[in-house]
Amino acid sequence: EQLKRCDQVVAAFPTNPAPLNDRYLLRSLTGPDQERAACADIRRATALARQAKPGSLDPQLRTDLSLRLALCQDAAKQAPGPAAKP
């Protein structure tokens, strides 16, 4: 239910990184099966934040995006790669 509401807010504000940041949090709390989608949200939110006018975004949002992007990058480094074929 909450994720559906977040989806609606993201759709209503496609150029605002804040709803994507919120949806990242919900997805990351949902479980490991949502990790890829959560990280896609945070990468998109970070890209939108980079396009924003200087000073137009809440400094806490910028911090959240930076930390969450780093978590996704760390998780990607630790994820097992495809199995090697014999």
Side-chain angles (χ1 to χ4, degrees):
E1 177 70 29
Q2 294 300 322
L3 193 53
K4 287 180 184 179
R5 287 184 185 173
C6 253
D7 290 344
Q8 292 171 342
V9 175
V10 167
F13 301 96
T15 61
N16 186 339
L20 289 161
N21 184 51
D22 293 341
R23 190 168 69 179
Y24 163 89
L25 182 59
L26 280 177
R27 284 182 164 165
S28 66
L29 293 173
T30 299
D33 61 319
Q34 289 286 316
E35 185 176 333
R36 179 175 278 162
C39 287
D41 280 345
I42 214 65
R43 284 190 297 273
R44 186 170 154 213
T46 301
L48 290 171
R50 286 184 184 131
Q51 296 172 5
K53 294 177 185 175
S56 66
L57 290 181
D58 177 34
Q60 183 62 52
L61 175 60
R62 287 200 182 271
T63 300
D64 288 351
L65 294 175
S66 177
L67 292 174
R68 291 173 176 168
L69 183 62
L71 287 172
C72 286
Q73 291 169 339
D74 288 346
K77 289 177 188 175
Q78 295 174 8
K85 293 184 179 181

